[in-house]
Amino acid sequence: MSDFYSRVYAVCRHIPEGRVSSYGAIAKFLGAARSSRMVGYAMNNSFNEQGVPAHRVVNRLGMLSGKHHFPGSTLMQDLLENEGVPVLNDRVQNFDQYFWNPADHLDPNDF
């Protein structure tokens, strides 16, 4: 596993239950603003890692763009809804209300 992936997973483990973050926000926080896609690759590979809530990472519009990497057709949505995050048509409703920006809560020097 790459050091970047490890850092992505460390950030993701801080996303609180009932909140979501985005690939871009995580990439920017890690000092790699143009690496949103790499964060997505890390999320796709996260099933081998313990305690990474990959279901809490969505695209910048709140779309469940990674849902096809979860078993079953609605598991990502089901996991979010079980945490109180409303999803309609594969999109987090009231996205701004549920969005968690790592830059507002974490110190980048810790990652």
Side-chain angles (χ1 to χ4, degrees):
M1 171 176 43
S2 76
D3 179 57
F4 183 75
Y5 280 23
S6 296
R7 294 170 62 217
V8 168
Y9 298 150
V11 171
C12 289
R13 286 184 178 104
H14 288 277
I15 303 170
E17 185 174 320
R19 304 290 297 276
V20 294
S21 194
S22 69
Y23 306 107
I26 293 168
K28 185 175 180 180
F29 173 75
L30 292 174
R34 299 182 61 97
S35 297
S36 301
R37 192 167 298 220
M38 288 300 295
V39 173
Y41 294 151
M43 291 297 91
N44 295 344
N45 206 31
S46 68
F47 295 104
N48 299 321
E49 292 296 310
Q50 189 78 339
V52 177
H55 65 284
R56 296 181 190 151
V57 183
V58 297
N59 79 9
R60 65 186 175 86
L61 302 174
M63 298 295 297
L64 310 189
S65 55
K67 72 177 191 160
H68 57 281
H69 293 284
F70 288 81
S73 61
T74 63
L75 181 58
M76 185 176 185
Q77 179 174 338
D78 295 342
L79 291 168
L80 288 170
E81 288 177 337
N82 286 340
E83 294 181 0
V85 178
V87 177
L88 179 64
N89 297 324
D90 296 329
R91 185 174 186 175
V92 173
Q93 300 299 288
N94 304 312
F95 180 58
D96 292 340
Q97 176 183 341
Y98 293 95
F99 180 70
W100 181 86
N101 188 345
D104 294 339
H105 303 280
L106 302 174
D107 182 344
N109 295 318
D110 292 339
F111 298 88

